[in-house]
Amino acid sequence: MTFTYDGYEPYTTAIRSTDFLQVLMKVLPSAATPASDRLISTITGPVIPTNPGGNEADMRSGLVENPFVAQPATMSFTGHCGGISHSLIRRFLEMGASVPADAVKIEEMLDYFNWKEEEPHPGELFHCSSAMLSCPWNSGHRLLLLNIRAGKADMTQRPAANIVLVIDASGSMDLPNKLPLIKSAIRPLVHNLRDIDTISLVVYGSGLNVMAGIPGSQKNRIIEAIEQLRPGGPSPGGDGLRLAYRVARHQWIPGGNNRIILMTDGDICNTATVETEMAEYIGQQTREGIYLSCMGVGMEDSTHSELPAFARLGKGNFASIREEEEGEERLLNELTGRGSIADRVSVTAEFDTTLVGGYRLIGWDNKRSALLDTGLKFEGCSVCPAHSMTALFEIVPKKDSAEIGTMARMKIGYCLPAEHTGRSISYACPNRFIAFERADLALKRAVCIALFGMKLRHSGYVGQVGWAEVERMTKESFSGKDYIDKDYLNLVARARKIYENKAGEIAIHE
């Protein structure tokens, strides 16, 4: 099979029916930078050659792992990183295949587990905290973990919510911009629920499944239920929507926000007659106080879709969701009446050169074309209420640096929605060292996740740390008592088996 595309090098490969094929097209040197190349981090300062072995994954992927940077230097990165990478990693490992380096985005893996939840102080928009640990893969280095969390939405004037999420989990949703996008976009909605709110799930695909009336206080239960969804089967969307109305009626809150949110990649009616009947049914339910909003994912053209019309009949909203950020804002708007809490959000780190000899940001890797395009402008992004983000730096400390003073200063830049005036808050990261073995469990988990991502990427920075050590550390940090922990432990075990087998095959071949 030969792949050709304007501006890219032709690529020819043999294919086998038992393998999953991912093709990475290389940009021709003369080609312009694609519009999708968005700069997510910038570095100023000379590069330290601390990785002489190079990064094997970077030699064959489109993303370049961030190098160590000498001082004086600053690093800026966006305030939103998404969360789809974890789903992609799971998908490849469950197929028994190694994960393409471009699919491994460590910042998204960290965000998926949301390692720390601390609310901002009254009157503040963000809460920042940091910790500095020993580095398990390089005893001479340190790890600086930064956690940023936005405040929850002010819902004191909002009525209690009875939200029914209707999720299409049919076979056609098995694409990164469909079911994984939905899962990730739902999380901020869940984090902003109050105890007086309820969430119900109606899922259709291989069958019709319902979880009704989960209180907003049981956030982990809701997220676990959503994360267990797997695509497969047909698309009985009409049956799912009718069931959702029955659930909404059963969970009815007088004077509340009684709303159904349908999320699908296509139409739910297969004939004009069925569509007319469904339209009449939706209109009747709207008159009785249950409203309907529709979200389309992976839809190239919604002009001829029935979803916008159904949303109008349901006195709700329609949106065609293409990016996770947009999905978060649209879903939150259904609950809180507003989407983002801040726009053009970016984080800038400035390290104390008397304490730090060099550093690198783990994750937030850029495409080569973005790095080569000097005209590509770094921009921030929008974040939603209760948004959480973790950043992890590997630091080369100065030998004479005592555990006093401030290791780094972090500045969060942002604009309030509908404003153009830049604002900022600063946070000082204290130079207090904690041995990895004595660190809080949440911190150890974050480090284990980063190490796992680096091993998947064949990073040249992990030194001699093998898969057995990665699995041991993971078992000590993840309890396995809930679904997400069990799923992660299984992924690490799968990865060890796949990557060690492949390493053995390469050794035999050589």
Side-chain angles (χ1 to χ4, degrees):
M1 183 172 287
T2 298
F3 298 83
T4 60
Y5 194 76
D6 288 346
Y8 292 79
E9 296 178 8
Y11 178 75
T12 301
T13 181
I15 60 173
R16 295 188 300 177
S17 61
T18 55
D19 287 351
F20 182 92
L21 177 66
Q22 183 186 48
V23 174
L24 177 68
M25 303 291 288
K26 294 184 178 180
V27 181
L28 290 171
S30 59
T33 302
S36 60
D37 283 4
R38 180 164 65 101
L39 203 61
I40 62 170
S41 61
T42 60
I43 308 172
T44 59
V47 174
I48 305 175
T50 55
N51 186 25
N55 183 340
E56 178 188 345
D58 283 348
M59 298 300 291
R60 62 176 185 270
S61 77
L63 296 180
V64 181
E65 191 173 27
N66 290 324
F68 278 93
V69 177
Q71 302 295 334
T74 60
M75 160 69 79
S76 296
F77 51 98
T78 63
H80 187 287
C81 58
I84 295 178
S85 181
H86 184 81
S87 296
L88 294 177
I89 291 169
R90 181 199 292 118
R91 179 175 182 174
F92 282 101
L93 294 178
E94 288 180 347
M95 292 190 302
S98 56
V99 186
D102 286 356
V104 181
K105 298 179 181 178
I106 295 174
E107 71 277 10
E108 293 191 9
M109 296 169 66
L110 290 167
D111 186 62
Y112 176 84
F113 287 91
N114 193 24
W115 63 277
K116 208 166 188 179
E117 295 187 6
E118 295 177 304
E119 293 299 319
H121 297 297
E124 295 184 356
L125 194 61
F126 296 98
H127 180 277
C128 300
S129 61
S130 66
M132 188 168 62
L133 314 180
S134 58
C135 179
W137 55 85
N138 190 323
S139 59
H141 290 183
R142 299 286 183 264
L143 295 175
L144 177 63
L145 287 89
L146 175 72
N147 184 258
I148 300 173
R149 185 173 179 86
K152 293 183 179 180
D154 182 5
M155 296 177 60
T156 54
Q157 304 300 317
R158 303 288 295 182
N162 162 31
I163 304 292
V164 181
L165 301 177
V166 188
I167 303 174
D168 181 352
S170 61
S172 65
M173 296 290 287
D174 191 14
L175 285 173
N177 65 335
K178 293 187 180 182
L179 188 57
L181 188 152
I182 287 175
K183 288 183 179 182
S184 188
I186 287 175
R187 285 189 167 217
L189 169 71
V190 176
H191 288 310
N192 281 277
L193 291 172
R194 302 160 296 179
D195 294 353
I196 60 173
D197 303 321
T198 63
I199 283 281
S200 301
L201 305 178
V202 175
V203 182
Y204 63 89
S206 300
L208 279 175
N209 296 288
V210 179
M211 289 185 67
I214 309 173
S217 57
Q218 298 182 16
K219 294 177 175 58
N220 288 339
R221 181 185 171 196
I222 300 168
I223 290 175
E224 282 189 17
I226 292 169
E227 289 301 328
Q228 293 183 59
L229 299 181
R230 295 290 186 274
S235 302
D239 294 339
L241 186 54
R242 288 180 181 273
L243 178 58
Y245 275 110
R246 293 199 295 272
V247 172
R249 178 62 59 193
H250 185 266
Q251 299 298 135
W252 175 264
I253 298 178
N257 177 12
N258 297 282
R259 185 172 300 275
I260 294 171
I261 305 174
L262 170 64
M263 290 167 280
T264 179
D265 65 343
D267 293 333
I268 62 173
C269 301
N270 50 18
T271 67
T273 301
V274 174
E275 183 176 343
T276 301
E277 292 175 353
M278 182 59 72
E280 293 175 353
Y281 180 73
I282 292 171
Q284 176 61 36
Q285 297 297 320
T286 303
R287 289 188 289 274
E288 294 179 6
I290 300 176
Y291 303 108
L292 171 68
S293 290
C294 300
M295 309 288 173
V297 293
M299 300 175 66
E300 294 297 329
D301 181 13
S302 60
T303 305
H304 303 292
S305 173
E306 66 202 14
L307 299 181
F310 284 175
R312 287 194 297 271
L313 287 169
K315 291 188 178 179
N317 305 298
F318 168 78
S320 181
I321 308 300
R322 294 177 176 82
E323 295 182 353
E324 183 182 335
E325 229 176 278
E326 181 184 16
E328 291 178 352
E329 292 185 15
R330 293 286 189 168
L331 283 171
L332 265 177
N333 186 61
E334 303 295 327
L335 174 71
T336 68
R338 62 181 299 185
S340 66
I341 195 172
D343 299 327
R344 296 171 60 187
V345 181
S346 65
V347 183
T348 299
E350 184 174 358
F351 287 85
D352 186 337
T353 58
T354 64
L355 302 177
V356 178
Y359 71 93
R360 73 182 189 92
L361 177 62
I362 299 178
W364 309 92
D365 306 314
N366 270 310
K367 295 181 180 180
R368 277 195 185 86
S369 50
L371 296 173
L372 293 174
D373 185 356
T374 57
L376 195 59
K377 185 180 179 181
F378 172 76
E379 295 181 354
C381 59
S382 298
V383 299
C384 295
H387 175 72
S388 180
M389 185 192 70
T390 300
L392 180 60
F393 295 88
E394 184 174 353
I395 294 172
V396 182
K398 291 283 184 71
K399 292 183 179 179
D400 57 350
S401 61
E403 292 186 19
I404 57 174
T406 298
M407 175 66 69
R409 290 191 178 276
M410 303 290 171
K411 185 180 79 171
I412 304 174
Y414 66 95
C415 293
L416 294 178
E419 289 188 6
H420 300 287
T421 304
R423 301 170 181 248
S424 67
I425 62 171
S426 296
Y427 171 75
C429 303
N431 182 29
R432 290 197 296 266
F433 169 74
I434 305 171
F436 175 80
E437 294 75 16
R438 295 188 288 106
D440 291 343
L441 190 60
L443 300 173
K444 294 170 72 173
R445 286 162 64 104
V447 173
C448 287
I449 292 166
L451 177 58
F452 180 47
M454 291 165 63
K455 288 291 291 182
L456 291 175
R457 282 188 56 86
H458 299 281
S459 171
Y461 294 112
V462 297
Q464 300 301 313
V465 177
W467 278 105
E469 179 68 7
V470 173
E471 187 171 16
R472 182 192 65 78
M473 291 173 57
T474 303
K475 288 180 178 179
E476 292 177 355
S477 303
F478 289 78
S479 65
K481 293 181 180 180
D482 56 45
Y483 169 79
I484 292 178
D485 271 21
K486 290 178 182 176
D487 180 59
Y488 184 69
L489 288 167
N490 287 334
L491 288 184
V492 173
R494 282 175 179 268
R496 178 185 177 184
K497 182 177 180 180
I498 292 168
Y499 282 74
E500 286 185 341
N501 286 344
K502 287 189 177 295
E505 291 173 1
I506 292 172
I508 292 173
H509 179 72
E510 293 177 345

